[in-house]
Amino acid sequence: EAGVTQSPTHLIKTRGQQVTLRCSPISGHTSVYWYQQALGLGLQFLLWYDEGEERNRGNFPPRFSGRQFPNYSSELNVNALELEDSALYLCASSPSQGQSTDTQYFGPGTRLTVL
Amino acid sequence: GDSVTQMEGPVTLSEEAFLTINCTYTATGYPSLFWYVQYPGEGLQLLLKATKADDKGSNKGFEATYRKETTSFHLEKGSVQVSDSAVYFCALRLNNQGGKLIFGQGTELSVKP
């Protein structure tokens, strides 16, 4: 069974630019979560999508946004990039039914560097 | 608020030593508890989990028991290997917290041959 996949692996942008990160969940999973892992700040929850709807967002400014498509894949968009947006962005998925609905399975991440 | 506290790292051990990484939590409800591991340059891998008090999660020789009375979920392994070198994250999830995992700060483990 294929795991969560993310693209691209690495990305370098400059301040003020916009970026789109992509995530494909495990087959059969309908929930997708985004987290930011910035140096010194640990893992911070960004967004949760389920069945195409945004269910919850963390304490991030509105320039962080995303969406979930009918096939349950997801995009994370970050506008007006700032230096402190440099981080590893992790996507996770979980099933909506069954015993493991509380368990999130992570992808390898996208490393974003903002210069 | 809800939070997770892990012991400070880095932890350096010799191969075959016993490992304990302490994790305590504060939660307004009854969380599910998780340990994730992150190898260098990679994402997070689920190591084990426990969903209710006194449950023991185990995987690859690692164990952790959900202790409600002490609000703890300490990770243990009887004999570590060099390949266990990684960063370990303790996390909790509450059903009424909008799906998110709340992570501890991570504990770096380095195992020397």
Side-chain angles (χ1 to χ4, degrees):
Chain A
E1 175 183 275
V4 176
T5 58
Q6 293 185 242
S7 63
T9 306
H10 295 88
L11 210 46
I12 299 175
K13 293 285 188 179
T14 56
R15 284 179 59 191
Q17 285 189 309
Q18 178 265 344
V19 69
T20 298
L21 312 182
R22 295 177 175 82
C23 172
S24 291
I26 292 171
S27 177
H29 288 192
T30 60
S31 278
V32 170
Y33 310 81
W34 288 94
Y35 292 84
Q36 183 196 65
Q37 187 177 25
L39 202 61
L41 294 178
L43 282 146
Q44 305 287 323
F45 168 75
L46 263 166
L47 288 159
W48 172 31
Y49 292 95
D50 183 59
E51 297 284 358
E53 301 285 331
E54 181 180 301
R55 301 297 185 183
N56 193 20
R57 68 177 290 128
N59 189 24
F60 282 84
R63 59 191 185 83
F64 286 83
S65 65
R67 56 181 172 167
Q68 187 179 33
F69 298 97
N71 67 353
Y72 304 116
S73 67
S74 176
E75 286 182 351
L76 173 68
N77 297 295
V78 188
N79 293 322
L81 284 167
E82 300 180 1
L83 296 178
E84 52 265 34
D85 297 334
S86 294
L88 181 66
Y89 289 84
L90 293 166
C91 173
S93 72
S94 71
S96 59
Q97 296 178 14
Q99 291 185 337
S100 296
T101 56
D102 62 347
T103 303
Q104 297 178 21
Y105 299 88
F106 284 79
T110 294
R111 174 74 62 185
L112 172 65
T113 301
V114 182
L115 302 176
Chain B
D2 304 312
S3 65
V4 175
T5 302
Q6 294 180 229
M7 64 187 286
E8 294 272 343
V11 173
T12 302
L13 295 173
S14 298
E15 205 164 23
E16 298 184 2
F18 184 85
L19 168 71
T20 300
I21 300 178
N22 290 337
C23 170
T24 57
Y25 67 89
T26 301
T28 50
Y30 298 99
S32 295
L33 299 173
F34 304 85
W35 278 101
Y36 284 87
V37 58
Q38 187 175 34
Y39 297 100
E42 298 184 9
L44 298 178
Q45 294 181 24
L46 176 67
L47 186 57
L48 52 84
K49 73 173 192 179
T51 58
K52 60 183 188 297
D54 300 325
D55 267 2
K56 178 187 281 188
S58 61
N59 186 28
K60 299 181 182 179
F62 291 90
E63 292 182 341
T65 301
Y66 190 145
R67 300 285 188 201
K68 183 167 174 284
E69 64 276 11
T70 55
T71 61
S72 64
F73 193 54
H74 305 321
L75 182 68
E76 296 181 337
K77 186 175 186 183
S79 176
V80 293
Q81 306 300 312
V82 172
S83 58
D84 293 327
S85 298
V87 180
Y88 292 81
F89 291 92
C90 184
L92 68 82
R93 184 181 184 277
L94 286 160
N95 286 335
N96 63 350
Q97 289 294 320
K100 66 181 179 184
L101 286 166
I102 297 171
F103 287 91
Q105 70 269 38
T107 301
E108 182 181 357
L109 170 65
S110 177
V111 181
K112 306 297 185 187

